[in-house]
Amino acid sequence: MRNLLMTVCYDGTNYYGFQTQPGGNTVQDCIEEAIKGLTGETIKIHGSGRTDAGVHARQQPFHFITSSSIPLERWRMALNGRLPADIRIVDASEVSLEFHSRRSAKRKTYRYTINGNRVPDVFWRNYQVHHPGRLDTDAMRQGLGYLVGTHDFTSFASRHSTKASHVRTIYEATLEVDTSPVYSGSNEQGIIHIMLTGNGFLQHMVRIIVGTLLEVGEGKRKPEDMKAILEAVDRKAAGPTAESKGLMLWSVEYDAIEMEGTNLSN
């Protein structure tokens, strides 16, 4: 038996998220079907985490156990030939049988993108949330600062969250604005990227944080309100859940020791 670790990138526009759902049409369903078509095995893959419907992934690891003897270097091309064009395996490696893509993950980074220009970008419309109203990005950046550290994020979690603990650690929280001419003309806000890196995230956590930050940017809340929202430990204290299409799982990191012996494909 072999434990294969792969990294997938996907445009989540047409899917109900990564993880298998009763209604079907998920990224996991497509990958498992491709594996079955390649090896004949009915396999359950294990992702590094879930993504909501419409959310994208630049790098999402998953692993699975297989008895197939197909050489490692053939997996990527063989699976991509069986996957839809909006899902692509970008890397494949073999890891120890003890490795688990979710439990072994140490750091995850999400990026949320807001188009602050007056006209939405036709070509990036599925990956950006359009917000033409003026935003105070300095205030939003200050608000983000209150989230760094270890906190109970109940206020920023879905009411449907089933996690036993809502305590998570945010290592980095940044906001950058791209005002390059390719994105914006005179008097345009540009493209706003919010990056959050932590040891784990709760259901809808990033989207609720962004929805609340947008209220800060609009002047409806003060940056320091983020601290009070955290301390309330109450979902009703935070803002709305931002649209899913602006969210992308950016990267997942593991300890080098846990990855020892991994044979990365070229």
Side-chain angles (χ1 to χ4, degrees):
M1 302 301 288
R2 307 160 69 197
N3 190 7
L4 299 187
L5 172 66
M6 299 189 181
T7 302
V8 61
C9 67
Y10 53 86
D11 177 340
T13 302
N14 297 319
Y15 300 97
Y16 298 133
F18 178 83
Q19 186 165 302
T20 294
Q21 305 291 332
N25 193 33
T26 67
V27 176
Q28 179 176 351
D29 294 332
C30 292
I31 295 173
E32 290 177 349
E33 183 178 349
I35 293 173
K36 185 173 184 179
L38 177 63
T39 69
E41 299 172 297
T42 299
I43 282 175
K44 179 181 179 181
I45 67 173
H46 303 274
S48 60
R50 304 180 181 184
T51 54
D52 298 326
V55 174
H56 319 289
R58 172 177 168 266
Q59 294 180 0
Q60 177 153 3
F62 66 91
H63 80 277
F64 60 94
I65 305 296
T66 177
S67 60
S68 172
S69 59
I70 295 174
L72 184 63
E73 62 272 12
R74 289 184 54 194
W75 279 90
R76 180 172 58 182
M77 183 176 294
L79 289 180
N80 284 339
R82 291 169 169 79
L83 286 167
D86 50 8
I87 301 175
R88 279 294 173 265
I89 305 299
V90 296
D91 192 32
S93 57
E94 186 166 350
V95 292
S96 70
L97 292 175
E98 291 74 32
F99 181 91
H100 192 285
S101 59
R102 177 177 57 81
R103 292 194 292 266
S104 300
K106 302 302 180 185
R107 293 165 61 99
K108 297 180 181 180
T109 298
Y110 281 91
R111 186 181 81 172
Y112 196 94
T113 301
I114 301 162
N115 185 331
N117 297 329
R118 285 170 290 184
V119 178
D121 190 311
V122 170
F123 302 105
W124 293 92
R125 68 189 185 281
N126 290 331
Y127 314 106
Q128 302 171 344
V129 169
H130 187 225
H131 190 289
R134 182 61 59 178
L135 292 169
D136 185 342
T137 53
D138 287 336
M140 294 170 70
R141 196 174 286 113
Q142 292 173 34
L144 271 175
Y146 291 98
L147 303 180
V148 177
T150 301
H151 308 284
D152 185 326
F153 281 93
T154 296
S155 295
F156 295 101
S158 166
R159 293 186 180 90
H160 303 294
S161 173
T162 58
K163 297 295 184 181
S165 171
H166 288 169
V167 175
R168 297 290 185 274
T169 300
I170 297 295
Y171 302 120
E172 298 176 35
T174 62
L175 183 152
E176 298 178 357
V177 183
D178 185 348
T179 57
S180 58
V182 70
Y183 288 125
S184 58
S186 59
N187 300 317
E188 294 279 22
Q189 289 191 98
I191 308 300
I192 302 165
H193 297 296
I194 297 169
M195 304 286 288
L196 291 166
T197 299
N199 64 351
F201 292 86
L202 302 163
Q203 185 179 13
H204 296 171
M205 180 172 157
V206 177
R207 293 167 59 195
I208 296 171
I209 287 173
V210 172
T212 309
L213 281 175
L214 283 172
E215 293 188 335
V216 172
E218 293 165 346
K220 297 175 182 177
R221 297 178 187 261
K222 298 177 180 178
E224 55 268 29
D225 288 345
M226 299 296 282
K227 182 176 185 293
I229 293 169
L230 274 174
E231 294 172 345
V233 193
D234 184 350
R235 172 65 186 90
K236 291 183 292 185
T241 305
E243 290 183 65
S244 61
K245 69 178 183 179
L247 184 60
M248 181 175 293
L249 175 58
W250 196 251
S251 64
V252 180
E253 301 172 52
Y254 300 94
D255 281 347
I257 294 176
E258 294 193 30
M259 297 296 290
E260 280 185 359
T262 299
N263 182 16
L264 296 176
S265 61
N266 295 319

